[in-house]
Amino acid sequence: MKLASLALVATKLAAATLYEPADGKIIFGAWVETEAASTVGPITLGGDTPSAFNTRLGQNAGVFHMSQSIPLAISPFDQTQQTAPLNLLETTKTDAILFLTIYPSQTGASPYDLITDRDLQLLAWQLGNITDPTLSGRRVLLRFGPEMNGNWFAYGEQPNRYVAEYRRLVNAIRAVTKRVSFVWSPNAGNNYPFGVTRVADAELAALDTNKDGVFDSEDDPFSPYWPGEEYVDWVGTSMYWKGDAAAGFPTKDNSRTPAGFFEQILQGSESLAVNRAYPFYTQYAERYKKPLVMSEGGAAFALYQDGPTATVRLPVNAGQLAIQQSFWRSYLNTTLLRQFPRAKMFINFEHQKVFEDPLAGGTRGITRDYRITFDPAVLAGLKTDLAALGATVQWAGPYVAGYDWLTGNNATAPASTSVPVKTEGPPATTGAVATTSKSDAIRSVTTVLVFGVWLALAF
């Protein structure tokens, strides 16, 4: 009987991508501002935590987004290496997924040249610790070099080099652990190729996908960067609504997100400048049978122009609730989820940004609020719409020490003991924070220290 049970577990795991929720289920979460709190005029940036997000929402989010660079950034104050603040996720005492973005360092003109084999080894060891069921036991989705098809990162618009470095990173991590699920995540294709480009001659041939001698909106925004299906577990994209482009740049008109925005951004729309010849969902989620994640996204409520020190608020027009609710309703609805069944995870960009999209000379930038759990009316609307989805949303459950997500067994328990396979997660909870034992809390802190020791020994 036990052998039959284990065989069933193996079959279920083989049938789905690593950490993919069951059919008909989605995971909802956020990328919160965990940086130290600071103020710019009337705007407070940072100071948020996953636990605080759960408290506001009244649910345990199933995923939290964090980031770090490669090579690791070094603190100018104490010379420590700046890894993602995993301790903030551990304090939720839940089994929420860590969605970890790895940015090639922006400190040099050629970011990929800065990544050494040692950097990759350190990252692999870190992920080995985080995912090891006898240590942190955390599920990890890893996104490397996001929005690589854009021109706003120094590593962008280099498809040949990107593909080589993506594969190099995946191979290095898989040599250490098989417990990481890899996310390939370009920017959505609206307005591609995003204005002025700085493409090197060596990359132009790859970017000119229709071979007409011109790199323009008729070219495929995605395929030059595709590393191959064997290197990708999830496909993802970034998508934002900042306002109607027809109202002028930088967008600040505080207009509602268009109806059907999520579908149009994925599959094509003349009004949103998304080329229908390159439908992202069809090309990658459907063709390769990969689950899809909105790696980051949100609708912006524009507050000020010329930054938060400006004294006059921009017109609210449609208002924050209408702007942001129309954005999340474009994907948090049963019709859309039935139409796009591989859309399995949605991560809201829970930030405020200052001086976005400045004009030449760095002036006239916009301060925008993407957060959906701070304004009372917006938060109430979000809670209502999430509740309407019922059991479709897979919330995080309580953290279980030693649980092995690959086998469904408890790695710290006697061999004859097992725990149920978490194929769908626990029932929806109403409390913000799950409970755990004192020993679990001590163990979580120890995990962080273990990684710190490894890094100390490495340098």
Side-chain angles (χ1 to χ4, degrees), residues 8-25 27 139 141 178 180-182 232-234 288-292 341-342 344 394 405-406 421-424:
L8 179 60
V9 170
T11 300
K12 287 183 177 180
L13 291 170
T17 295
L18 189 60
Y19 311 140
E20 177 186 357
D23 289 346
K25 301 287 186 179
I27 298 175
R139 292 169 292 170
L141 269 61
K178 306 300 184 186
V180 175
S181 203
F182 293 94
V232 175
D233 297 305
W234 290 67
Y288 297 108
K289 296 179 172 56
K290 306 288 185 182
L292 180 138
R342 297 190 184 279
K344 293 292 188 76
Q394 181 174 303
W405 289 92
L406 291 188
V421 177
K422 297 189 178 182
T423 56
E424 297 186 354

Side-chain angles (χ1 to χ4, degrees), residues 339-393:
Q339 184 179 355
F340 296 96
R342 297 190 184 279
K344 293 292 188 76
M345 184 181 291
F346 304 92
I347 302 174
N348 195 75
F349 186 66
E350 192 75 352
H351 282 60
Q352 293 184 103
K353 300 289 284 185
V354 298
F355 297 110
E356 274 200 313
D357 301 329
L359 300 177
T363 63
R364 310 298 285 164
I366 308 300
T367 294
R368 299 185 174 110
D369 189 355
Y370 296 90
R371 303 170 306 168
I372 56 177
T373 62
F374 280 82
D375 179 87
V378 174
L379 177 59
L382 176 64
K383 288 182 175 181
T384 297
D385 289 344
L386 285 170
L389 290 174
T392 297
V393 183

Side-chain angles (χ1 to χ4, degrees), residues 13-357:
L13 291 170
T17 295
L18 189 60
Y19 311 140
E20 177 186 357
D23 289 346
K25 301 287 186 179
I26 64 169
I27 298 175
F28 179 78
W31 188 354
V32 300
E33 286 187 277
T34 58
E35 298 80 5
S38 61
T39 58
V40 183
I43 303 297
T44 298
L45 304 174
D48 200 6
T49 66
S51 292
F53 180 86
N54 285 348
T55 298
R56 295 191 298 271
L57 190 62
Q59 297 280 11
N60 290 319
V63 60
F64 283 101
H65 193 151
M66 295 178 175
S67 68
Q68 64 187 53
S69 65
I70 187 167
L72 284 167
I74 305 297
S75 168
F77 305 107
D78 58 11
Q79 301 303 302
T80 56
Q81 294 168 317
Q82 303 298 287
T83 57
L86 178 63
N87 59 308
L88 297 181
L89 185 52
E90 298 285 351
T91 58
T92 67
K93 301 179 177 63
T94 72
D95 63 5
I97 292 170
L98 169 62
F99 189 103
L100 182 62
T101 287
I102 303 296
Y103 288 104
S105 173
Q106 298 295 294
T107 59
S110 302
Y112 296 124
D113 292 340
L114 301 177
I115 304 173
T116 67
D117 289 344
R118 186 60 169 171
D119 295 322
L120 294 173
Q121 183 71 74
L122 291 172
L123 176 61
W125 284 343
Q126 177 191 12
L127 294 167
N129 269 349
I130 294 173
T131 58
D132 187 332
T134 66
L135 295 172
S136 190
R138 182 75 53 185
R139 292 169 292 170
V140 174
L141 269 61
L142 187 80
R143 181 180 73 151
F144 171 71
E147 302 171 5
M148 77 304 288
N149 56 339
N151 53 28
W152 44 89
F153 290 123
Y155 60 78
E157 297 185 321
Q158 301 177 59
N160 295 316
R161 187 65 187 275
Y162 171 81
V163 167
E165 295 299 329
Y166 181 103
R167 291 173 175 172
R168 178 185 170 212
L169 177 139
V170 170
N171 287 335
I173 293 170
R174 284 178 174 168
V176 172
T177 177
K178 306 300 184 186
R179 299 175 182 276
V180 175
S181 203
F182 293 94
V183 183
W184 175 72
S185 189
N187 199 72
N190 49 316
N191 299 301
Y192 183 80
F194 314 114
V196 178
T197 63
R198 56 175 188 278
V199 179
D201 291 343
E203 301 284 1
L204 277 174
L207 292 170
D208 179 21
T209 59
N210 62 3
K211 306 306 177 187
D212 65 354
V214 182
F215 173 39
D216 59 16
S217 60
E218 297 304 309
D219 292 308
D220 189 335
F222 314 117
S223 63
Y225 302 91
W226 178 242
E229 63 178 311
E230 66 272 29
Y231 290 93
V232 175
D233 297 305
W234 290 67
V235 295
T237 189
S238 305
M239 60 174 69
Y240 289 93
W241 173 254
K242 297 180 181 181
D244 187 353
F249 183 86
T251 50
K252 57 183 183 297
D253 66 315
N254 281 328
S255 56
R256 291 174 62 98
T257 308
F261 181 79
F262 185 83
E263 178 182 357
Q264 292 183 67
I265 286 292
L266 282 183
Q267 297 295 82
S269 164
E270 287 77 15
S271 63
L272 295 176
V274 183
N275 193 330
R276 292 184 183 274
Y278 309 110
F280 185 81
Y281 183 88
T282 301
Q283 282 182 285
Y284 298 101
E286 280 193 346
R287 178 181 179 183
Y288 297 108
K289 296 179 172 56
K290 306 288 185 182
L292 180 138
V293 52
M294 184 180 79
S295 304
E296 56 178 279
F301 182 52
L303 300 173
Y304 301 97
Q305 187 159 20
D306 254 351
T309 56
T311 58
V312 180
R313 283 282 299 267
L314 291 166
V316 300
N317 294 337
Q320 187 169 2
L321 173 60
I323 294 165
Q324 296 181 325
Q325 188 173 52
S326 54
F327 179 86
W328 76 60
R329 281 184 171 176
S330 75
Y331 61 84
L332 289 180
N333 71 81
T334 55
T335 300
L336 183 285
L337 296 174
R338 283 194 296 267
Q339 184 179 355
F340 296 96
R342 297 190 184 279
K344 293 292 188 76
M345 184 181 291
F346 304 92
I347 302 174
N348 195 75
F349 186 66
E350 192 75 352
H351 282 60
Q352 293 184 103
K353 300 289 284 185
V354 298
F355 297 110
E356 274 200 313
D357 301 329

